[in-house]
Amino acid sequence: MAKPQESEFDVQAEFEKMKSQLATLLESLQEKGEAQAVTLNKKLTSELEDYKEAALKKAQQVQAVSSEGVEQVTHYIKANPLASLGIAFSLGFVLSRLLSGKNS
C-alpha cells in the first residue's frame, strides 16, 4: 500500500478543522436563536396582555352603552305603550315583506 502524500494529510486535517468550526458555529447559532426566541416570547406575551386589557375595557364600554340603550328603550315603551306597539307592528310588517320576496 502506498503512503499517503503529505498534501493528502493537509487536506484531511483542514477538513477536520472545518468540520469542528462548523459544529461550533452551529452551536453558537442555536444558542443565539434560543436567546432571541425567549426575548421575542417575552415581548409578544407583554403585547398580548396589553391587547387583552384594551379589549376587556372596550367590552365593558360596549356593555355599559348597550345597558343604557336597553334602559332607554324600556323607559320609552313604558311611557308610550301604544306608540311602541305601533312601531313594533310596522317593523314586523316591513321585515316580513322584505324577507318574503314578494313585490306586491
Side-chain angles (χ1 to χ4, degrees), residues 22-45:
L22 181 60
T24 304
L25 179 62
L26 288 174
E27 186 176 308
S28 175
L29 285 174
Q30 181 180 5
E31 290 171 359
K32 286 182 181 180
E34 289 172 355
Q36 286 182 342
V38 168
T39 303
L40 184 60
N41 187 16
K42 288 179 183 178
K43 182 179 177 183
L44 289 176
T45 301

Side-chain angles (χ1 to χ4, degrees), residues 7-20:
S7 63
E8 288 179 1
F9 283 115
D10 290 341
V11 171
Q12 183 67 26
E14 283 296 317
F15 179 73
E16 290 300 323
K17 185 178 175 183
M18 287 175 59
K19 186 176 172 183
S20 173

Side-chain angles (χ1 to χ4, degrees), residues 1-103:
M1 185 167 170
K3 260 185 152 179
Q5 297 178 354
E6 195 172 305
S7 63
E8 288 179 1
F9 283 115
D10 290 341
V11 171
Q12 183 67 26
E14 283 296 317
F15 179 73
E16 290 300 323
K17 185 178 175 183
M18 287 175 59
K19 186 176 172 183
S20 173
Q21 289 175 344
L22 181 60
T24 304
L25 179 62
L26 288 174
E27 186 176 308
S28 175
L29 285 174
Q30 181 180 5
E31 290 171 359
K32 286 182 181 180
E34 289 172 355
Q36 286 182 342
V38 168
T39 303
L40 184 60
N41 187 16
K42 288 179 183 178
K43 182 179 177 183
L44 289 176
T45 301
S46 173
E47 288 181 13
L48 285 175
E49 285 296 322
D50 293 343
Y51 287 130
K52 178 182 172 184
E53 289 175 14
L56 286 174
K57 286 180 183 178
K58 288 295 181 185
Q60 289 171 347
Q61 290 173 351
V62 167
Q63 185 178 13
V65 168
S66 66
S67 293
E68 290 175 15
V70 168
E71 288 176 19
Q72 288 176 355
V73 169
T74 302
H75 177 70
Y76 181 82
I77 290 172
K78 287 181 180 179
N80 305 301
L82 292 177
S84 300
L85 184 62
I87 291 170
F89 177 78
S90 300
L91 282 175
F93 179 77
V94 169
L95 284 175
S96 70
R97 293 300 248 174
L98 288 174
L99 295 177
S100 69
K102 294 182 181 178
N103 291 335

